[in-house]
Amino acid sequence: MTTDPTRKPEPAPSVEELEEQERRLVFRRFSYEEAWELGSLLVEMAWERQAPIAIDIHRAGQQLFHAALPGSTPDNDAWIARKRRVVERYGHASYLVGARYRAKGTTFEESSRLDPDTYAAHGGSFPITVEGVGVIGAVTVSGLPQLQDHRMVVEALEQFLAGR
């Protein structure tokens, strides 16, 4: 993935913007088929952007989709697991959890009292929420800077849900 060194970093979304994403990006149902289609959409996006990422979709403790693209490493799988655990524990996007700590003037690592080798409140894991049910899993990307990981997942969810 090429970057423009003259380009200024994008501003981070506010906690309110992140919460709005979660309210909006909700599924009517989420089966093996949706996992495959969503995962395949993320793979297609990554190929087009030459993004060196790994992609993971879990539902109720079961891995339904996983892909590792060129340039990704085993470390990306470790990051996926750590970010996904944050979603599973808090029921919110890993980036939102980290942003809430930052908004309080601290960090997740300093204040959560959780093992940073097990949990990472870094962007890239987003809850799979089903109407009338709640959070049932997570879709996770790792390999880019955390805000880009988060935005790639959100973009894929927006595109996927718009077609439903």
Side-chain angles (χ1 to χ4, degrees), residues 22 86-88 90-97 100 125-127 135:
E22 287 189 3
V86 168
V87 173
E88 292 168 348
Y90 289 87
H92 294 286
S94 54
Y95 194 79
L96 171 57
V97 172
R100 285 178 171 161
S125 191
F126 201 92
V135 176

Side-chain angles (χ1 to χ4, degrees), residues 10 33 39 42 56-57 68 70 73 78 82 88 90 102 106 115 120 124 156 158 163:
E10 297 178 70
E33 182 180 349
L42 277 160
D56 180 88
I57 300 176
T73 70
R82 292 167 58 217
E88 292 168 348
Y90 289 87
R102 289 186 295 277
T106 187
D115 181 356
E158 288 171 339

Side-chain angles (χ1 to χ4, degrees), residues 90 97-114 121-122:
Y90 289 87
V97 172
R100 285 178 171 161
Y101 279 92
R102 289 186 295 277
K104 293 176 187 173
T106 187
T107 67
F108 178 81
E109 295 77 11
E110 291 171 354
S111 299
S112 71
R113 300 177 54 113
L114 295 172
H122 291 254

Side-chain angles (χ1 to χ4, degrees), residues 40-71:
S40 297
L41 172 60
L42 277 160
V43 167
E44 183 180 313
M45 290 169 61
W47 278 115
E48 287 173 4
R49 299 168 191 192
Q50 299 177 350
I53 63 171
I55 302 159
D56 180 88
I57 300 176
H58 263 70
R59 182 189 68 183
Q62 181 183 20
Q63 184 178 55
L64 302 185
F65 186 94
H66 185 85
L69 281 80

